[in-house]
Amino acid sequence: MATAVEIALAKQPYFDLNALCKTVFVTYKAGPKLDKLVTVQSQYVDICNKPGVRGTVVSLAGSPGSHNDIKYMRDSFERHNIRLVCTNWPGSEFVTGGLRDSYTNDERNSYVKALMEKLGMKNVEKLIVMGHSRGGESALQLACILSEDRSWPLIGAVMINSPGFVMHRGISVRYHHIYNDFIGLRVADGKVSAAAILPMQTFAFEKQKASMDEMKKKPWVRMFYAYGSKDFLVAESDSEELAMYFKGDHYVIKDKKESEEAIPKIWNSYANGQPYVTANFTEEGHYLQKTYPEFLIQVLGGMFDVETKSSK
């Protein structure tokens, strides 16, 4: 059942960030063995790109998904002086080319790393990768990859409504009309829906534990995972299992008041040397970036600004 906030937002006129799109050509390694080079024309959105920002966040969309996954957070990023770069995946309506990709995790990681290099993300002062839904798993894997090279200014990774270690309800989706009419996830056409289905067949699931174990060896990268108990795609027990595997500080949030009270506590968690923080929104669903944008931006700001006093 939708929350009051979700119902109110649903009544607002539809909007998107398409008018803000910029285009860049990206060449990356593709194929099951990463043994071929593919060049695509990729659209992205760059918000609050100016000197003196507190940090830069690169967002990774779900499947299906696009730069518009984060559209409800746009104002918060600008208001809090944090740069946001919203990416799109090959196969989506915003990337020309890549339709013959294998859509494996290695290939997706190869693409987004090449895109970030093309956009100069290695030269920003502080960097966080943030993924929603299927993009959350990508953010985790990308954090593992980038943190192997300390020349990347990576200080954090955020997973929003990311699936857990087992197959979730959305994996069984197969057809374009089911996406649009039954599940309610917007896709442009059948080709885009096919490109959305294929990444769902290459989830890491249990293999995410290896990535999480790897990140536990790198406490200089702060992790944050947030999920909703009423997520229509991911069961609460699956999300809880993933959260508990982090073995970090965990917060249970029932409403806006509790979310506001949790923010300084989360900052203190990071300041006291705890690099892993998770949060359960008991009354929320699959789109926390839509219903709690201010909370998420405050967490991101804390990850950028809080000085670590000690390490656990």
Side-chain angles (χ1 to χ4, degrees):
M1 181 177 294
T3 66
V5 174
E6 287 174 329
I7 292 173
L9 288 172
K11 292 181 179 179
Q12 295 179 356
Y14 180 76
F15 74 96
D16 57 45
L17 303 179
N18 295 357
L20 302 180
C21 281
K22 300 178 180 180
T23 302
V24 66
F25 286 93
V26 182
T27 300
Y28 58 100
K29 294 180 180 179
K33 298 181 180 180
L34 297 183
D35 55 357
K36 64 177 182 178
L37 289 179
V38 172
T39 299
V40 297
Q41 184 174 322
S42 181
Q43 296 184 56
Y44 67 99
V45 171
D46 196 346
I47 295 168
C48 199
N49 182 2
K50 61 182 182 180
V53 294
R54 295 160 70 188
T56 299
V57 175
V58 173
S59 71
L60 309 177
S63 184
S66 72
H67 54 264
N68 287 317
D69 286 8
I70 312 297
K71 64 184 181 182
Y72 291 100
M73 294 186 70
R74 174 192 173 181
D75 291 345
S76 293
F77 274 97
E78 293 182 331
R79 187 166 55 251
H80 289 272
N81 197 34
I82 297 174
R83 183 183 178 190
L84 170 65
V85 177
C86 304
T87 66
N88 289 296
W89 295 106
S92 75
E93 61 184 301
F94 298 102
V95 178
T96 303
L99 286 174
R100 295 184 179 180
D101 285 2
S102 58
Y103 299 97
T104 62
N105 284 316
D106 287 343
E107 185 179 77
R108 285 160 58 87
N109 294 336
S110 170
Y111 160 77
V112 75
K113 182 172 180 285
L115 173 59
M116 291 173 63
E117 289 172 340
K118 185 80 172 188
L119 297 180
M121 295 296 98
K122 204 168 187 178
N123 300 320
V124 303
E125 186 174 349
K126 295 179 181 179
L127 175 67
I128 291 175
V129 290
M130 177 179 72
H132 171 249
S133 193
R134 178 69 170 91
E137 179 183 288
S138 300
L140 172 63
Q141 295 178 16
L142 191 62
C144 286
I145 294 170
L146 300 185
S147 59
E148 288 296 311
D149 180 357
R150 293 300 294 271
S151 66
W152 279 93
L154 184 72
I155 63 96
V158 174
M159 304 164 67
I160 305 171
N161 296 108
S162 181
F165 303 131
V166 298
M167 185 177 295
H168 65 76
R169 290 185 283 263
I171 301 298
S172 60
V173 176
R174 287 294 181 269
Y175 301 103
H176 173 242
H177 77 276
I178 295 179
Y179 264 120
N180 283 334
D181 301 331
F182 181 68
I183 298 297
L185 301 176
R186 299 187 181 188
V187 292
D189 53 40
K191 291 182 179 179
V192 174
S193 66
I197 289 170
L198 290 172
M200 288 189 173
Q201 298 174 340
T202 58
F203 266 100
F205 291 126
E206 185 82 7
K207 294 179 181 178
Q208 288 184 99
K209 292 182 179 179
S211 297
M212 295 167 75
D213 290 340
E214 182 63 28
M215 293 312 299
K216 290 175 182 178
K217 303 174 185 176
K218 303 168 180 177
W220 65 87
V221 181
R222 295 165 178 161
M223 303 288 297
F224 181 72
Y225 170 53
Y227 63 96
S229 293
K230 298 182 178 180
D231 193 320
F232 72 101
L233 287 178
V234 186
E236 179 183 21
S237 58
D238 296 342
S239 298
E240 185 177 59
E241 182 184 20
L242 192 152
M244 294 304 102
Y245 195 83
F246 272 111
K247 297 181 179 178
D249 290 348
H250 184 67
Y251 297 89
V252 177
I253 299 170
K254 299 177 182 178
D255 52 36
K256 293 289 184 180
K257 182 176 183 296
E258 289 191 1
S259 74
E260 294 171 357
E261 294 172 347
I263 289 169
K265 296 177 182 178
I266 292 172
W267 292 344
N268 285 335
S269 290
Y270 290 129
N272 291 331
Q274 174 56 268
Y276 313 111
V277 178
T278 58
N280 173 19
F281 289 78
T282 62
E283 302 302 314
E284 298 304 315
H286 190 64
Y287 301 102
L288 289 175
Q289 79 277 24
K290 179 178 181 180
T291 56
Y292 276 84
E294 187 66 19
F295 173 89
L296 292 173
I297 201 73
Q298 292 276 12
V299 170
L300 290 166
M303 295 172 81
F304 282 128
D305 297 345
V306 172
E307 295 295 331
T308 302
K309 298 176 182 177
S310 61
S311 59
K312 291 186 178 182

